[in-house]
C-alpha cells in the first residue's frame, strides 16, 4: 500500500531563452492556492521548468514517474535523461505500455568517459542536449537528470521571487499530500490543514503586489506564517477604544471605594510539625 | 550484528550500497565486521584502507577468526594500504615500479580526479577467468580521508558514482563505505558527500555516540535505515535503533535502555 507523501513544491517560471527554433512556452495563469494544484501540474498544467526536490528520507523519483506516466498518457514525447540510476531502476514501477514509449539518454553509465571511448551521454553534453538536441514535436519532459541535479546540492531553501524575478509571484502554494497508485499515476489528497492566511479578519493579499516584496501586510516573510493575527481590524480598533481603562474610575465607583473601609484578613497557617530529630545530630563538633 | 537478522538473506542480496556513518564516535568496528563477514562468505574483496595500516586490520580480523594475510595470498583480498602508498608516492625512489600509475596519484599530480583509484578498483574486482569467488565487494575506510588528502567533493562523488556503476550494477557486487559526519560540523564538503551518499544507499548504518557522553556499558547507538523507498513499492524507509557495547571479540546489541548493566 503506497504511503502518502507531503512535498513542498516551488514552481519556477522562467523567461524562455532566446534560441533559434526553440519551443514556445506560454506563461500560464497563476495556479492559485487550489487544492488540486499538484494533480493539475501532473496532468499537463506544468509549463517551463518544474523542479522536484526531495531529501534522503523521502525520495522524489516516484513523483517523477507520475509525471512521466501522465505525459505518456497525453501522447507526449518523453525523453528521460538518466544520471543517477540505471534504466532498469527508473523503469521499475512503470507499466509496460509506458515503458515502451520512453526515449532514454544514458548519462549514468559513463558520464566522464572513464570506462570507454564512446559514452552515450557525457555530463558536459547535457546543456547541449537541452538547447537543441531534443526531438522535435511536443513538449518533452526533461527527466531524471534534473531531480538529481537538485537533490545532490546541499539544500539551501529556494529563494522567493525577488526583484527582477518572475512576475506574478504569488504566495507560495501550501503543502499538498499525494499518494501514488500502483499503476504509476498520482492522486492528490489535497491540502492537509488550512493555511493561516485563509482565516478571516485578514485583508487578502493585494493583486498589485510587486515582485520585490513578497511579504504580507504584517511585514513578515511568508516563510514563517504565524498562527495568530497581529493586526486589528477597524471594528476591533473601535471596540478597543470604547473600553475605559481600569485606572480611570467614574465618580460613583470612586466614592464607593472610598467609603468602604479597607480590611486586611490574615489567616495564619497552623504551625508545621517540627521534625524532632536534630538535623545536626551527626555533626561531630 | 548478524544476529540482528539484517543479513538473513544477505548472500542473495547483490548490488547493494551500504553506507556506514559515524557521528561523535568511531564506527570502524563495523568495517572490521564487514571485512571478516565478506571474507568468510567467500567473496572477493577490494579493501581501500586509507586510515590504518594492514597489521592493524589483520590483528582485529584474527580476533574475528579471519586471516588477512592468508586471504591476500590466495587472491581473495586486494588490499590498498593508503598509508604506505601515500608515503611511497611522495617520498618514493626514482625507479618506476612496473609502470603502473599509483592509485592515489591524485595527491601529487595535477589531475584532480580519482580515475586512477577507480581503475585500481575495477581491475581488482573484475573477475578473471580462474576466479571462483562469489560476488565482488568494495570496502572503503574511509571516504572522508580522501577529502583531507585534497580531492574535491565532486571528484569523490564521481569516484563513488563510477564504483556504483561498475561494482553494483555491472558486476552485481556490494559496496560498503565509511564516512564521518557531524550534524553541526562546519565541514561543508564532507556534509555534501554524506548527504549525497545517503540518497544512493540501500542501507545506512548510522553509529552515534550517546548524547549524554561516555558510558562504560553502552558505547553508543546505531540506527539502521533500510531504504525501502528506493525500491519499487515506494514504502517509507524502515528505521531501527539499537544501542551497542563493543567487547573484545564481538559487539552486543540491545534495545535502547535495556543494557545488561541496567537490567
Amino acid at each position: 500500500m503506497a504511503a502518502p507523501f507531503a512535498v513542498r513544491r516551488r514552481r519556477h517560471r522562467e523567461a524562455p531563452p532566446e534560441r533559434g527554433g526553440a519551443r514556445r512556452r506560454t506563461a500560464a495563469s497563476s495556479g492559485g492556492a487550489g487544492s488540486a494544484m499538484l494533480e493539475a501540474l501532473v496532468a499537463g498544467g506544468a509549463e517551463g521548468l518544474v523542479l522536484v526536490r526531495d531529501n534522503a528520507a523521502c525520495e522524489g523519483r516516484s513523483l517523477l514517474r507520475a509525471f512521466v506516466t501522465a505525459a505518456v498518457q497525453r501522447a507526449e514525447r518523453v525523453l528521460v535523461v538518466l544520471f543517477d540510476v540505471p534504466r532498469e531502476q527508473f523503469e521499475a514501477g512503470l507499466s509496460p505500455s509506458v515503458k515502451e514509449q520512453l526515449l532514454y539518454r544514458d548519462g549514468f553509465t559513463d558520464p566522464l568517459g572513464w570506462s570507454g571511448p564512446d559514452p552515450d551521454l557525457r555530463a558536459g553534453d547535457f546543456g547541449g542536449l537541452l538547447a537543441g538536441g531534443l526531438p522535435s514535436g511536443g513538449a518533452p519532459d526533461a527527466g531524471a537528470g534534473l531531480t538529481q541535479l537538485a537533490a545532490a546540492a546541499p539544500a539551501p531553501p529556494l529563494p522567493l521571487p525577488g526583484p527582477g524575478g518572475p512576475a506574478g509571484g504569488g504566495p507560495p502554494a501550501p503543502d499538498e499530500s499525494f499518494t501514488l497508485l500502483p499503476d504509476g499515476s498520482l492522486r492528490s489528497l489535497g491540502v492537509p490543514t488550512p493555511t493561516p492566511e485563509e482565516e478571516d479578519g485578514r485583508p487578502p493579499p493585494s493583486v498589485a503586489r510587486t515582485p520585490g516584496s513578497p511579504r504580507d501586510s504584517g511585514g513578515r516573510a511568508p516563510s514563517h506564517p504565524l498562527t495568530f493575527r497581529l493586526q486589528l481590524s477597524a471594528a476591533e480598533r473601535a471596540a478597543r477604544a470604547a473600553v475605559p481603562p481600569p485606572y480611570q474610575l467614574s465618580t460613583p465607583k470612586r466614592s464607593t471605594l472610598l467609603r468602604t473601609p479597607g480590611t486586611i484578613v490574615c489567616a495564619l497557617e497552623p504551625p508545621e510539625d517540627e521534625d524532632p530529630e536534630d538535623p545536626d545530630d551527626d555533626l561531630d563538633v | 550484528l548478524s544476529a540482528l537478522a539484517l543479513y538473513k538473506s544477505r548472500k542473495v542480496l547483490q548490488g547493494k550500497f551500504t553506507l556506514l556513518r559515524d557521528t561523535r564516535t568511531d564506527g570502524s568496528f563495523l568495517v572490521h565486521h564487514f571485512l571478516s563477514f565478506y571474507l568468510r562468505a567467500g567473496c572477493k574483496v577490494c579493501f581501500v584502507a586509507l586510515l590504518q595500516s594492514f597489521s592493524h586490520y589483520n590483528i582485529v580480523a584474527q580476533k574475528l577468526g579471519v586471516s588477512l594475510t592468508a586471504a591476500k595470498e590466495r587472491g581473495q583480498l586486494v588490499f590498498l594500504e593508503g598509508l604506505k602508498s601515500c608515503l611511497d608516492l611522495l617520498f618514493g625512489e626514482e625507479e618506476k615500479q612496473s609502470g603502473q600509475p599509483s592509485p592515489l596519484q591524485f595527491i601529487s599530480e595535477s589531475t584532480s580526479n580519482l580515475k586512477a583509484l577507480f581503475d585500481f578498483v575495477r581491475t581488482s574486482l573484475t573477475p578473471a577467468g580462474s576466479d571462483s569467488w562469489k560476488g565482488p565487494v568494495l570496502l572503503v575506510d574511509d571516504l572522508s580521508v580522501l577529502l583531507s588528502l585534497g580531492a574535491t567533493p565532486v571528484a569523490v562523488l564521481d569516484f563513488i558514482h563510477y564504483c556504483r556503476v561498475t561494482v553494483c550494477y555491472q558486476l552485481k557486487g556490494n559496496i560498503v563505505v565509511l564516512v564521518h559526519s557531524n550534524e553541526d560540523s562546519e565541514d561543508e564538503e564532507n556534509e555534501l558527500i554524506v548527504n549525497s551518499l545517503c540518497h544512493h544507499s540501500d542501507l545506512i548504518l548510522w553509529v552515534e555516540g550517546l548524547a549524554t557522553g561516555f558510558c562504560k556499558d553502552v558505547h553508543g547507538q546505531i540506527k539502521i535505515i533500510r531504504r525501502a523507498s528506493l525500491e519499487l513499492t515506494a514504502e517509507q524507509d524502515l528505521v531501527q535503533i539499537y544501542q551497542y557495547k563493543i567487547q573484545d571479540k564481538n559487539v552486543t546489541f540491545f534495545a535502547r535502555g535495556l543494557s545488561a548493566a541496567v537490567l
Side-chain angles (χ1 to χ4, degrees):
Chain A
M1 166 127 139
F5 294 77
V7 163
R8 173 171 288 277
R9 303 201 58 258
R10 293 251 186 266
R11 287 189 61 184
H12 281 231
R13 247 174 268 119
E14 301 169 357
E18 295 305 316
R19 294 182 191 129
R23 304 170 295 281
R24 212 158 48 86
R25 293 177 187 169
T26 56
S29 60
S30 165
S35 63
M37 186 169 107
L38 188 56
E39 264 188 6
L41 282 175
V42 173
E47 297 279 347
L49 177 69
V50 174
L51 200 63
V52 175
R53 232 180 91 195
D54 64 1
N55 54 41
C58 180
E59 56 86 35
R61 194 166 295 120
S62 33
L63 183 58
L64 208 62
R65 288 194 193 104
F67 272 94
V68 164
T69 307
V72 165
Q73 283 162 358
R74 287 194 304 271
E76 287 181 4
R77 298 190 64 178
V78 179
L79 171 69
V80 179
V81 182
L82 296 166
F83 282 118
D84 203 47
V85 290
R87 178 173 169 162
E88 302 75 34
Q89 194 171 342
F90 185 81
E91 278 182 342
L94 295 176
S95 62
S97 56
V98 171
K99 278 190 228 187
E100 61 193 21
Q101 299 289 332
L102 299 177
L103 302 167
Y104 283 95
R105 289 299 298 274
D106 182 14
F108 169 75
T109 311
D110 196 8
L112 300 174
W114 285 3
S115 292
D118 221 356
D120 181 22
L121 178 69
R122 287 173 173 265
D125 296 339
F126 183 52
L129 181 75
L130 284 183
L134 289 168
S136 58
D141 274 338
L146 289 176
T147 320
Q148 305 319 316
L149 291 176
L158 292 173
L160 294 171
D175 288 349
E176 292 182 35
S177 296
F178 65 92
T179 183
L180 289 155
L181 303 173
D183 65 356
S185 57
L186 177 142
R187 188 176 67 217
S188 170
L189 300 176
V191 177
T193 51
T195 60
E197 292 145 26
E198 289 168 55
E199 287 162 11
D200 59 355
R202 225 189 93 89
S206 61
V207 175
R209 167 182 321 166
T210 62
S213 57
R215 292 170 178 273
D216 58 25
S217 51
R220 284 190 69 87
S223 56
H224 298 287
L226 290 176
T227 53
F228 52 88
R229 199 167 27 88
L230 285 176
Q231 271 59 48
L232 294 175
S233 67
E236 286 172 340
R237 212 168 283 133
R240 187 171 78 169
V243 173
Y247 48 82
Q248 258 181 14
L249 301 173
S250 58
T251 324
K253 199 165 176 199
R254 188 187 300 178
S255 53
T256 317
L257 280 177
L258 284 175
R259 250 186 282 124
T260 56
T263 53
I264 297 175
V265 177
C266 178
L268 288 170
E269 289 179 2
E272 291 175 5
D273 294 334
E274 295 196 0
D275 196 353
E277 267 183 25
D278 182 4
D280 295 335
D281 202 13
D282 54 354
L283 278 185
D284 190 15
V285 178
Chain B
L1 194 58
S2 308
L4 280 179
L6 262 210
Y7 301 119
K8 240 192 287 198
S9 51
R10 194 70 194 172
K11 292 190 182 68
V12 178
L13 287 176
Q14 288 181 328
K16 296 297 171 193
F17 189 103
T18 302
L19 181 68
L20 309 177
R21 182 176 174 179
D22 61 19
T23 303
R24 293 191 306 264
T25 187
D26 185 17
S28 51
F29 69 95
L30 290 171
V31 175
H32 297 303
H33 161 80
F34 276 102
L35 180 60
S36 49
F37 175 81
Y38 280 117
L39 284 176
R40 261 194 300 237
C43 299
K44 177 141 192 205
V45 177
C46 174
F47 189 9
V48 178
L50 301 171
L51 206 57
Q52 305 277 7
S53 64
F54 177 78
S55 48
H56 171 91
Y57 294 106
N58 201 14
I59 291 171
V60 180
Q62 274 170 358
K63 283 194 211 167
L64 298 175
V66 172
S67 165
L68 295 190
T69 332
K72 222 161 90 153
E73 275 161 21
R74 58 176 184 257
Q76 191 186 7
L77 172 67
V78 178
F79 193 95
L80 173 63
E81 187 170 351
L83 295 173
K84 210 159 66 149
S85 304
C86 282
L87 286 180
D88 286 343
L89 191 63
L90 294 172
F91 302 113
E93 297 91 17
E94 295 297 326
E95 42 170 303
K96 266 249 186 251
Q97 301 168 1
S98 76
Q100 266 187 346
S102 162
L104 298 174
Q105 68 181 38
F106 71 93
I107 302 175
S108 64
E109 298 201 4
S110 57
T111 53
S112 60
N113 62 29
L114 294 170
K115 181 170 187 296
L117 190 57
F118 165 67
D119 287 333
F120 170 80
V121 168
R122 186 170 41 132
T123 42
S124 320
L125 289 180
T126 309
S130 55
D131 277 348
S132 61
W133 309 115
K134 299 191 194 142
V137 174
L138 169 65
L139 207 57
V140 181
D141 177 20
D142 65 51
L143 214 54
S144 313
V145 171
L146 287 176
L147 282 179
S148 312
L149 287 174
T152 58
V154 174
V156 175
L157 288 176
D158 288 339
F159 165 69
I160 288 289
H161 177 92
Y162 269 90
C163 287
R164 222 162 47 98
V165 171
T166 312
V167 178
C168 287
Y169 292 108
Q170 289 175 352
L171 300 175
K172 306 277 183 268
N174 297 328
I175 299 186
V176 180
V177 170
L178 174 68
V179 284
H180 298 298
S181 92
N182 197 353
E183 283 178 349
D184 296 336
S185 120
E186 292 169 351
D187 188 350
E188 292 174 355
E189 299 184 337
N190 193 31
E191 293 311 303
L192 174 66
I193 290 190
V194 173
N195 198 22
S196 176
L197 290 179
C198 280
H199 278 274
H200 298 140
S201 314
D202 298 296
L203 177 68
I204 304 177
L205 298 178
W206 191 350
V207 172
E208 293 175 283
L210 293 177
T212 44
F214 173 74
C215 170
K216 199 170 51 131
D217 297 300
V218 178
H219 290 144
Q221 162 179 299
I222 180 169
K223 214 188 282 188
I224 303 174
I225 304 172
R226 268 177 260 237
R227 310 235 22 241
S229 57
L230 284 184
E231 290 162 24
L232 169 59
T233 49
E235 293 165 4
Q236 299 281 7
D237 296 339
L238 180 65
V239 181
Q240 292 169 303
I241 303 184
Y242 297 97
Q243 288 177 339
Y244 65 89
K245 177 177 176 172
I246 304 178
Q247 290 154 337
D248 189 39
K249 289 198 177 147
N250 65 345
V251 180
T252 44
F253 290 86
F254 38 86
R256 280 183 291 182
L258 295 182
S259 151
V262 167
L263 294 174

